[in-house]
Amino acid sequence: MSATSPNSTLSPESRSRSLEAMKATTPEAPLDVLVIGGGVTGAGIVLDAVTRGLDTAIVEAQDWASGTSSRSSKLVHGGLRYLQMLDFSLVHEALTERDLLLNKLAPHLVKPVPFLFPLIKQYERPYIGAGIMLYDILASLAPGKRAMPFHRHYSRKGMQKKFPSLRHDAAVGAIEYWDGSVDDARLVLTLVRTAASYGAHAAPRTQVKELTKSPAGRVNGAVLKDLETGETFTVHARHVINSTGVWTEETEALAGGTGGLKVLASKGIHIVVPRDRIKGTSGLILQTEKSVLFVIPWSRYWIIGTTDTPWKQELQHPVATSADIDYVIEHANAVLADPITREDIIGTFAGLRPLLQPEVKEGTSSAKVSREHTVASPTPGFTVIAGGKLTTYRVMAEDAVDFALGAEAASKPSVTTNIPLLGAVGLAAMKNQTRAYQQKFGWSKQMVEHLLHRYGSMINEIVAICNEDPTMAKPVKGAEAYLRAEIHYAVTREGVIHLEDVLLHRTRINYEFADRGLSALEEIADIAANALGWDAETRSVELKNYRDRAAAEEAAAAEQDDASAEQVRLQASDLSPME
């Protein structure tokens, strides 16, 4: 049983069909909605719009989730820190969305995860405990069944049983509460595929070069460039929605004028450490002088971060510097009994938060401003949304489409609270069938859990690949956490165009293995080349591009400052560079 449809397959062919559909639009027969930006917000918008019955397309200049939405802390959470600001409505909104994802929309992708909040002094327990109790109460007000256990108090002894690697004198006790974790890039991909299954047109590696206007000055489409072929063409649309995150102002500028939202980029980095290096069954949340530091249990490893520093360099390739890595290690080691070192780190990743500035530029019509996100219209026909966070992507999408449609929204309300993502429908039944797969292919329990988490009820599509070719049921050598079938599935069903798409966004091999996946690269390239019909020259170029990228990222992480790291990182060129 699976919730998939033939239209949910993303491939070079489906991309070509989507581009052809956009080329076929005219001023008399436009799209209803064109979405610019393939991060979580854009992916949420395209799903919201198409499920309202609107003819919708989404374009992304690089790969899906290639920006901020593949480089987050991978948390689906209510925002405990907002309780300190007494922003109860915002926390309630985020907790409602968290539980909706866990219970209905994406129970395979989003998983409950416990966190310990260490108490430095005994007098902290009453008021921190009251705050976390309020967090639980606000979660209980969400519709439907409660998705998470209630919080628990622990003494120092109980805390050390839960997290043996926490230094004895680091805290007098702790409070355990629950939030959610998600593979952010996988969530984006699944949103896009779900939208495609309802008829949305989706084209990555397609850059907006210009926004077109009617004689009356209304934005009515865009000039697009296919970065794979170099072809330029015009798409016509009744409404254009910009959801480009840290690129918001650059995209706004294409409409001309001075209106719009102002967004600043802030860099956050994470380090990845093997799971057996730190002993604990919960995550940790720690306050630092600059940000919140999370120690997050994730599959076979821990993700530790983040930082919060202004980013003044180019926006596409932020990297973790040596100073960033030292900062995270230092603050983690402040509470760890057995300090981690550089040698323990198997990977790093860096992303840019789009920090929405409070002022809205003159001449902008603003519809909704919250502490987290703002929807505005700098020019008629052109809607911009910025700010927000991964957890509330669905609310942001609904707000953006409502604003773009205006009065028309009343007759076409959002239905995404009732649209499960691909892999969610039939999940319980598929779980009951996995024992047979385990026995047939010799998969471990951990491997089956990994597959269910990534594909949900679509695990039967992985099984079908393995039934057709039993060698696909084997792990990838050098990246044994993944099956060969998963690589084949990525390149045939999940819209892969380049080798880096597999290692960075369909899997996380780039930072899950200490060599950035180089030892598995030839095997992965063989599977991709066979499925996509690459000739020897194309395969060679793809291999060189990824190796150059991996080397540049490794070298950049040895630099002390952003400017120097950027200079080193940009020595590796892109196969389809943005203009």
Side-chain angles (χ1 to χ4, degrees):
M1 180 176 177
S2 174
T4 59
S5 76
N7 289 340
S8 69
T9 293
L10 300 181
S11 64
E13 292 74 25
S14 73
R15 176 179 180 272
S16 295
R17 289 193 298 271
S18 292
L19 291 173
E20 290 302 318
M22 285 184 254
K23 292 174 190 176
T25 60
T26 66
E28 297 73 30
L31 292 170
D32 290 317
V33 177
L34 172 66
V35 183
I36 307 171
V40 71
T41 307
I45 291 170
V46 72
L47 178 59
D48 185 280
V50 76
T51 52
R52 296 186 196 217
L54 301 170
D55 189 9
T56 309
I58 182 171
V59 293
E60 160 59 43
Q62 291 295 295
D63 188 24
W64 304 118
S66 58
T68 304
S69 294
S70 60
R71 309 176 190 190
S72 74
S73 295
K74 312 194 189 316
L75 295 177
V76 174
H77 63 122
L80 192 59
R81 64 191 176 96
Y82 287 120
L83 288 181
Q84 297 174 318
M85 306 173 190
L86 305 181
D87 203 333
F88 305 130
S89 62
L90 182 64
V91 175
H92 178 248
E93 177 182 81
L95 288 171
T96 298
E97 293 302 309
R98 181 198 72 178
D99 288 7
L100 185 61
L101 283 162
L102 277 159
N103 286 331
K104 182 192 289 187
L105 301 187
H108 54 311
L109 298 173
V110 182
K111 297 297 182 185
V113 59
F115 283 93
L116 288 178
F117 193 119
L119 303 169
I120 309 305
K121 301 291 184 181
Q122 284 291 1
Y123 63 75
E124 294 179 331
R125 190 181 291 276
Y127 72 86
I128 292 177
I132 293 176
M133 180 180 290
L134 178 58
Y135 196 67
D136 269 347
I137 291 171
L138 290 172
S140 296
L141 297 177
K145 69 176 183 179
R146 183 179 173 84
M148 302 283 193
F150 280 97
H151 71 280
R152 293 185 62 182
H153 285 256
Y154 287 96
S155 64
R156 175 179 278 156
K157 184 177 180 180
M159 174 188 72
Q160 290 190 310
K161 286 183 179 178
K162 295 286 292 184
F163 208 103
S165 285
L166 194 65
R167 213 178 64 215
H168 179 77
D169 59 350
V172 296
I175 303 174
E176 183 182 62
Y177 73 99
W178 292 73
D179 259 322
S181 66
V182 67
D183 184 326
D184 45 10
R186 193 131 205 100
L187 174 62
V188 174
L189 176 70
T190 307
L191 283 165
V192 174
R193 288 190 66 194
T194 305
S197 76
Y198 288 101
H201 314 295
R205 310 281 178 176
T206 305
Q207 185 176 358
V208 176
K209 299 295 294 178
E210 179 185 342
L211 292 174
T212 60
K213 292 184 178 180
S214 69
R218 179 183 176 88
V219 170
N220 62 0
V223 175
L224 305 180
K225 182 170 184 178
D226 181 345
L227 296 182
E228 293 299 303
T229 66
E231 181 184 5
T232 299
F233 63 93
T234 299
V235 58
H236 302 275
R238 293 172 55 225
H239 305 285
V240 177
I241 303 179
N242 174 24
S243 58
T244 51
V246 292
W247 286 272
T248 294
E249 292 185 67
E250 292 185 8
T251 312
E252 286 175 340
L254 299 176
T258 58
L261 303 179
K262 185 175 176 59
V263 173
L264 297 180
S266 173
K267 186 179 73 168
I269 78 108
H270 295 77
I271 63 174
V272 180
V273 175
R275 190 66 179 269
D276 60 6
R277 182 58 184 78
I278 299 173
K279 294 178 176 61
T281 57
S282 296
L284 294 178
I285 177 172
L286 309 167
Q287 294 276 3
T288 74
E289 71 279 8
K290 295 181 182 178
S291 63
V292 174
L293 190 79
F294 287 100
V295 181
I296 306 165
W298 181 273
S299 185
R300 308 168 307 282
Y301 47 85
W302 299 87
I303 296 174
I304 308 175
T306 183
T307 56
D308 189 358
T309 55
W311 179 257
K312 305 294 186 184
Q313 317 306 315
E314 61 85 37
L315 298 174
Q316 192 175 347
H317 297 302
V319 288
T321 65
S322 181
D324 294 329
I325 295 168
D326 286 341
Y327 173 88
V328 173
I329 289 175
E330 176 187 351
H331 283 81
N333 283 345
V335 299
L336 292 178
D338 186 9
I340 58 176
T341 68
R342 288 291 188 105
E343 286 66 38
D344 294 314
I345 298 174
I346 57 175
T348 66
F349 59 93
L352 301 178
R353 299 182 193 87
L355 299 182
L356 180 63
Q357 299 307 289
E359 71 269 23
V360 177
K361 296 176 184 177
E362 187 177 350
T364 298
S365 169
S366 182
K368 178 176 179 179
V369 179
S370 81
R371 186 184 296 276
E372 281 289 288
H373 71 270
T374 297
V375 189
S377 179
T379 306
F382 185 47
T383 299
V384 181
I385 184 164
K389 62 182 181 180
L390 182 147
T391 306
T392 54
Y393 80 84
R394 196 202 60 80
V395 173
M396 294 172 64
E398 183 176 340
D399 285 347
V401 179
D402 279 348
F403 184 41
L405 295 181
E408 186 185 351
S411 62
K412 292 184 172 67
S414 175
V415 296
T416 51
T417 56
N418 294 309
I419 305 293
L421 304 190
L422 292 179
V425 175
L427 179 60
M430 195 55 64
K431 284 181 178 179
N432 291 335
Q433 297 180 23
T434 54
R435 178 170 293 185
Y437 303 150
Q438 207 171 330
Q439 293 175 344
K440 180 173 183 178
F441 299 114
W443 293 339
S444 66
K445 182 180 178 181
Q446 184 181 28
M447 175 59 76
V448 170
E449 289 174 352
H450 158 90
L451 294 172
L452 284 169
H453 185 29
R454 285 168 57 77
Y455 307 100
S457 59
M458 294 188 294
I459 189 176
N460 64 345
E461 297 179 3
I462 297 292
V463 169
I465 293 170
C466 297
N467 283 332
E468 186 174 334
D469 179 357
T471 67
M472 289 290 170
K474 304 298 182 184
V476 176
K477 293 178 181 176
E480 283 79 9
Y482 295 92
L483 299 177
R484 287 169 51 83
E486 294 184 80
I487 309 303
H488 185 274
Y489 189 83
V491 298
T492 58
R493 304 286 185 90
E494 297 182 338
V496 164
I497 296 175
H498 294 296
L499 189 59
E500 66 176 31
D501 300 344
V502 178
L503 288 104
L504 271 68
H505 307 131
R506 304 307 181 278
T507 70
R508 295 317 185 87
I509 291 171
N510 177 261
Y511 60 70
E512 289 180 330
F513 297 90
D515 69 347
R516 296 182 181 267
L518 292 178
S519 61
L521 199 60
E522 291 281 350
E523 183 175 357
I524 293 171
D526 283 343
I527 296 171
N530 289 336
L532 296 175
W534 290 345
D535 58 22
E537 181 181 359
T538 301
R539 180 182 180 280
S540 178
V541 168
E542 292 285 342
L543 285 167
K544 182 180 186 304
N545 180 76
Y546 183 77
R547 287 181 176 127
D548 287 350
R549 179 186 183 120
E553 289 175 340
E554 196 71 31
E559 298 293 332
Q560 283 294 318
D561 60 88
D562 287 339
S564 300
E566 177 193 41
Q567 189 175 16
V568 172
R569 171 61 186 87
L570 293 181
Q571 290 177 7
S573 59
D574 297 315
L575 281 176
S576 49
M578 293 166 58
E579 298 179 356

